[in-house]
């Protein structure tokens, strides 16, 4: 409630840090001096002196000022903020990019928790018992199949790795050991996994060109993107409607440095699958 409290003696006593203009919801320190905090009405603050002073940084440049309930920090540098939209900083909060809108069924709802286990894979949850997963750093989100559980509000999330994740809230704790259901909304075809196939690129590793093959059982809108390990989109290889059948496209990495990249397949605007490719020059 507008204040950060600090202890340097294990909780025997606390000191009052500088007050902030807003109700804060989450805080993270990467060392004794550098920390960040987020809160209501798009509040985001950063300190470089252990909390003696907090400077507000504007995350949302245009549009509604959404509430930030949780932040997820990776490698003490990359920060994602959880709200109706996804925002990411790669310099510990100094500058921000807006990545995507999470496909929440009720547009009056919000995301209350978020956890990234790598620069590409993350999980989010919130109101109306909705859980989501991203495979490309937050650019798009896969709805998870959880409607068989009683309704509630997800307030917390924790992950050991990409596969072992817990989400908790009112009246319920959910756990997955397989990275969740790569699922599709229940209104969709339950046989979706067999209707579409994204194959591993060949050759892999490659230099500088490789082939990417995919198959469609029905006519569909297809998008294939390539991302770097930070989740930045490198190239859109295809974005068009295709008839059922098998297809093969070529990715040319001649202008890219050696490294690991990820290519994703979206079917009818739903992220379906992703695979890693390795450029080795």
């Amino acid at each position: 409630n507008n204040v950060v409290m600090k202890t340097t003696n294990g909780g025997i006593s606390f000191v009052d840090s500088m007050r902030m203009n807003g109700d804060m919801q989450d805080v993270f320190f990467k060392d004794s001096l550098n920390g960040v905090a987020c809160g209501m009405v798009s509040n985001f603050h950063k300190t470089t002196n252990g909390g003696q002073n907090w400077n507000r940084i504007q995350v949302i440049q245009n549009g509604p000022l959404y509430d930030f309930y949780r932040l997820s920090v990776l490698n003490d540098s990359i920060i994602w903020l959880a709200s109706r939209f996804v925002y990411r900083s790669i310099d510990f909060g100094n500058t921000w990019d807006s990545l995507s809108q999470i496909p929440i069924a009720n547009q009056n709802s919000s995301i209350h928790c978020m956890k990234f286990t790598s620069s590409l894979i993350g999980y989010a949850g919130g109101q109306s018992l909705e859980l989501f997963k991203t495979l490309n750093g937050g650019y798009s989100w896969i709805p998870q199949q959880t409607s068989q559980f009683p309704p509630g509000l997800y307030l917390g999330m924790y992950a050991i790795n990409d596969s072992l994740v817990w989400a908790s809230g009112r009246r319920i704790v959910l756990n997955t050991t397989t990275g969740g259901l790569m699922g599709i909304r229940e209104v969709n075809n339950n046989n979706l996994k067999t209707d579409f196939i994204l194959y591993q690129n060949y050759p892999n590793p490659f230099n500088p060109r490789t082939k990417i093959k995919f198959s469609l059982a029905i006519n569909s809108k297809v998008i294939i993107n390539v991302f770097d390990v930070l989740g930045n989109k490198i190239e859109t290889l295809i974005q068009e409607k295709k008839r059922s059948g098998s297809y093969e496209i070529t990715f040319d990495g001649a202008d890219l440095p050696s490294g690991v990249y990820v290519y994703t397949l979206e079917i009818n605007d739903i992220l379906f699958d992703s695979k890693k490719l390795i450029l080795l020059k």
Side-chain angles (χ1 to χ4, degrees), residues 221 223 266-271:
K221 177 184 175 183
I223 301 176
E266 293 184 31
I267 300 294
N268 298 327
D269 297 319
I270 296 176
L271 183 61

Side-chain angles (χ1 to χ4, degrees), residues 199-270:
Y199 296 93
Q200 185 65 53
N201 64 299
Y202 180 82
N204 192 40
F206 67 98
N207 179 26
R209 286 174 290 276
T210 187
K211 300 287 186 180
I212 297 175
K213 182 180 177 181
F214 62 96
S215 297
L216 310 174
I218 58 176
N219 300 347
S220 307
K221 177 184 175 183
V222 177
I223 301 176
I224 294 182
N225 289 316
V226 179
F227 299 85
D228 64 18
V229 292
L230 293 178
N232 299 308
K233 183 161 66 174
I234 301 299
E235 184 177 348
T236 297
L237 300 181
I238 186 172
Q239 185 173 358
E240 59 186 81
K241 290 184 177 180
K242 289 287 189 183
R243 294 183 178 275
S244 60
S246 295
Y247 297 88
E248 186 177 84
I249 56 178
T250 299
F251 173 59
D252 192 333
D255 296 330
L256 298 174
S258 297
V260 177
Y261 297 86
V262 174
Y263 60 99
T264 63
L265 171 66
E266 293 184 31
I267 300 294
N268 298 327
D269 297 319
I270 296 176

Side-chain angles (χ1 to χ4, degrees), residues 56-87:
R56 179 166 183 174
I57 296 175
Q58 192 73 20
V59 175
I60 301 177
Q61 301 299 325
N62 298 292
L65 299 179
Y66 297 109
D67 298 332
F68 295 140
Y69 291 95
R70 293 292 181 270
L71 48 81
S72 181
V73 183
L74 183 69
N75 298 330
D76 290 341
S77 59
I78 307 177
I79 304 175
W80 290 267
L81 281 172
S83 71
R84 211 170 304 170
F85 283 78
V86 179
Y87 302 89

Side-chain angles (χ1 to χ4, degrees), residues 5-233:
M5 302 298 293
K6 175 182 178 180
T7 178
T8 58
N9 54 17
I12 297 175
S13 60
F14 283 82
V15 295
D16 187 347
S17 181
M18 189 190 83
R19 279 174 159 73
M20 304 179 188
N21 182 22
D23 294 338
M24 309 311 291
Q25 297 288 321
D26 202 7
V27 64
F28 175 87
F29 273 77
K30 66 177 181 178
D31 52 43
S32 63
L33 297 177
N34 296 280
V36 292
C38 68
M40 311 301 285
V41 198
S42 174
N43 260 301
F44 179 84
H45 288 75
K46 182 174 181 178
T47 179
T48 57
N49 57 12
Q52 296 180 39
N53 302 99
W54 292 86
N55 298 313
R56 179 166 183 174
I57 296 175
Q58 192 73 20
V59 175
I60 301 177
Q61 301 299 325
N62 298 292
L65 299 179
Y66 297 109
D67 298 332
F68 295 140
Y69 291 95
R70 293 292 181 270
L71 48 81
S72 181
V73 183
L74 183 69
N75 298 330
D76 290 341
S77 59
I78 307 177
I79 304 175
W80 290 267
L81 281 172
S83 71
R84 211 170 304 170
F85 283 78
V86 179
Y87 302 89
R88 185 189 65 181
S89 171
I90 61 174
D91 53 12
F92 201 62
N94 292 325
T95 58
W96 290 87
D97 293 314
S98 176
L99 301 185
S100 63
Q101 181 177 9
I102 296 181
I104 304 171
N106 183 354
Q107 290 303 305
N108 293 322
S109 299
S110 184
I111 294 298
H112 285 253
C113 56
M114 177 180 288
K115 179 64 177 179
F116 274 78
T117 56
S118 69
S119 59
L120 294 173
I121 296 179
Y123 299 85
Q127 295 170 310
S128 303
L129 199 70
E130 292 179 289
L131 290 178
F132 302 89
K133 180 177 181 177
T134 179
L135 298 170
N136 55 15
Y139 282 94
S140 54
W141 293 82
I142 309 165
Q144 301 290 280
Q145 293 177 346
T146 58
S147 59
Q148 68 269 35
F149 301 107
L153 169 65
Y154 287 112
L155 298 172
M157 187 168 286
Y158 184 78
I160 298 265
N161 51 43
D162 291 348
S163 300
L164 188 54
V165 186
W166 290 264
S168 65
R170 294 175 184 169
R171 304 193 303 273
I172 192 170
V173 175
L174 293 187
N175 166 242
T176 178
T177 60
T178 59
L181 299 174
M182 290 308 300
I184 314 296
R185 294 184 188 272
E186 289 188 344
V187 297
N188 290 340
N189 185 355
N190 291 330
N191 296 321
L192 190 59
K193 271 293 187 181
T194 60
D195 289 344
F196 309 102
I197 301 176
L198 177 65
Y199 296 93
Q200 185 65 53
N201 64 299
Y202 180 82
N204 192 40
F206 67 98
N207 179 26
R209 286 174 290 276
T210 187
K211 300 287 186 180
I212 297 175
K213 182 180 177 181
F214 62 96
S215 297
L216 310 174
I218 58 176
N219 300 347
S220 307
K221 177 184 175 183
V222 177
I223 301 176
I224 294 182
N225 289 316
V226 179
F227 299 85
D228 64 18
V229 292
L230 293 178
N232 299 308
K233 183 161 66 174

